[in-house]
Amino acid sequence: GQQLNQSPQSMFIQEGEDVSMNCTSSSIFNTWLWYKQDPGEGPVLLIALYKAGELTSNGRLTAQFGITRKDSFLNISASIPSDVGIYFCAGPSGTYKYLFGTGTRLKVLA
Amino acid sequence: DTGVSQNPRHKITKRGQNVTFRCDPISEHNRLYWYRQTLGQGPEFLTYFQNEAQLEKSRLLSDRFSAERPKGSFSTLEIQRTEQGDSAMYLCASSARHTSYEQYFGPGTRLTVT
């Protein structure tokens, strides 16, 4: 079945560093969504991408819809301690069903 | 706009008991989703409502699970005869018709079955 694989699974970075993570699919997606989840809370939508090649920013976050439509990338510039959390990619895998990735756990060292 | 709310936030129950969770979506959102999330995993889709109609159910939703959305407003998720494997975070999300891909999640209900 469809899977969304995220890389890296986890990462430790120093405050101020830039962060890059990606999400790959075995099949084509028409929409990519990026969420952040804090411990004990629901995911929060960060960025939505609707078109191959699209590059969208939200503050220090920038996400790109891969031109093959099988991948997406999220970059965080100048990381700060509150960036810590789990980042999920997601996309529609049917008419109404949504598929979430395996997550990238980010820890920021002050 | 107060966001998506879920109650209770935490529920501890003994195996074999029935539990019911409630989700109140964002008021103008007509689409509502339930997900289950186990530790270290991403959310897994359970079911989808458009207004009061349940239009899709995952195979994960066994016969012991039932969801309703009477009048197209709040929704309930009931688990009958709970099992230890049901222990998870149950998340509700809602979206608007014109931005249906952009789902907004509630804080979740953490279920522990002992």
Side-chain angles (χ1 to χ4, degrees), chain A residues 1 13 26 32 34 43 67 70 79 85 104:
Chain A
I13 59 168
S26 55
W32 287 99
W34 283 94
I67 57 173
K70 290 187 176 182
S79 59
T104 291

Side-chain angles (χ1 to χ4, degrees), chain A residues 31 33 35 37 40-43 45 48 50 88 92 94-102 105, chain B residues 9 33 35 37 40-43 45 48 50 55-56 89 91 100-107:
Chain A
T31 298
L33 306 169
Y35 287 86
Q37 186 174 28
E41 300 293 332
L45 180 65
Y50 300 105
F88 291 103
T95 306
Y96 307 114
K97 181 178 177 180
Y98 284 79
L99 184 66
F100 277 73
T102 49
R105 287 148 187 78
Chain B
R9 291 293 307 274
Y33 310 79
Y35 290 83
Q37 185 176 29
Q41 302 297 318
F45 172 84
Y48 163 73
Q50 186 167 305
L55 298 185
E56 186 153 359
M89 175 80 90
L91 294 163
S100 59
Y101 292 129
E102 298 179 8
Q103 297 179 38
Y104 293 86
F105 282 80

Side-chain angles (χ1 to χ4, degrees), chain B residues 10-59:
Chain B
H10 304 275
K11 178 71 177 178
I12 300 173
T13 191
K14 293 187 176 181
R15 190 177 56 184
Q17 298 294 306
N18 299 342
V19 294
T20 300
F21 310 140
R22 176 177 170 129
C23 171
D24 287 89
I26 293 172
S27 58
E28 64 267 26
H29 286 184
N30 68 328
R31 301 180 180 211
L32 187 145
Y33 310 79
W34 284 99
Y35 290 83
R36 181 173 67 188
Q37 185 176 29
T38 53
L39 201 62
Q41 302 297 318
E44 294 176 293
F45 172 84
L46 291 179
T47 190
Y48 163 73
F49 288 87
Q50 186 167 305
N51 299 310
E52 65 275 10
Q54 188 175 22
L55 298 185
E56 186 153 359
K57 292 196 300 185
S58 166
R59 285 172 292 177

